[in-house]
Amino acid sequence: MFCMQCGQELIQKIFEEKKRFVCPVCGWVYYQQLKVSSAVIIEKNNQILLLKRAYDPWKDFWYLPAGYVEHDEDPRMAGIREVSEEIGIKIQIQENGLFNYYYFDDDPRGNGLLLVYVSNVLKWNMTPSEEITDYRFFSPKQLPKSLCGAGHRTAILDWVKMKNE
Ligand SMILES: [Zn+2]
């Protein structure tokens, strides 16, 4: 990693009580921030669509269609894009469609914020990508046991709670 001010390679050191990347020449500090990812709830007949992960972390665990938000991307657009890439379905995010957001600190790729949206399906065009090994609709009473971390498990259980209300 290189300094944004002078281009020097950064070094790791304790600064303001945390291990950070600091420029040894000009003193510029790289303050790492939370990652942002977007997930989407897709329902059919009161069942929720979950995907089974093909890769680590959480290989073989079930998760909501989701992915990281690009630096120049509206998180809602990232959700739409990820759904299309992972399973092929064309969706739109519902108006005021933020279901909830979840802080997570259990992902080896870094801590972050999972934004979860509710959607309307425009086209059921199921074409699973190689990122997943299975996909299925689950009713609130028949969820799979292994639910993915990084906010997904909590979000899915919140969806179940909402269905039971
Ligand atoms: Zn520098």
Side-chain angles (χ1 to χ4, degrees), residues 38-160:
S38 246
V40 179
I41 293 174
I42 297 174
E43 279 190 39
K44 194 183 200 176
N45 305 325
N46 280 318
Q47 298 186 321
I48 192 168
L49 175 65
L50 299 180
L51 313 178
K52 196 176 190 183
R53 273 182 72 87
Y55 305 120
D56 274 324
W58 293 290
K59 185 177 187 292
D60 295 334
F61 284 62
W62 294 86
Y63 70 108
L64 296 165
Y68 288 120
V69 179
E70 305 253 10
H71 72 97
D72 57 352
E73 195 175 33
D74 180 324
R76 290 169 300 178
M77 293 301 126
I80 292 170
R81 175 180 56 73
E82 290 288 346
V83 168
S84 170
E85 285 172 8
E86 291 181 341
I87 186 72
I89 301 172
K90 305 293 172 216
I91 60 150
Q92 61 185 24
I93 302 296
Q94 289 181 14
E95 218 173 296
N96 305 316
L98 183 64
F99 178 74
N100 211 338
Y101 60 90
Y102 301 87
Y103 169 70
F104 58 85
D105 60 4
D106 58 351
D107 192 318
R109 296 166 295 180
N111 298 351
L113 205 56
L114 179 71
L115 306 174
V116 181
Y117 295 99
V118 284
S119 67
N120 296 321
V121 171
L122 300 174
K123 193 168 178 228
W124 290 105
N125 174 41
M126 306 295 252
T127 44
S129 78
E130 67 216 12
E131 292 175 63
I132 65 174
T133 54
D134 200 2
Y135 63 94
R136 232 178 275 178
F137 287 88
F138 293 93
S139 75
K141 288 195 174 100
Q142 287 165 322
L143 288 179
K145 283 213 168 57
S146 43
L147 296 175
C148 181
H152 287 258
R153 187 184 154 75
T154 322
I156 294 163
L157 295 178
D158 277 353
W159 174 82
V160 170

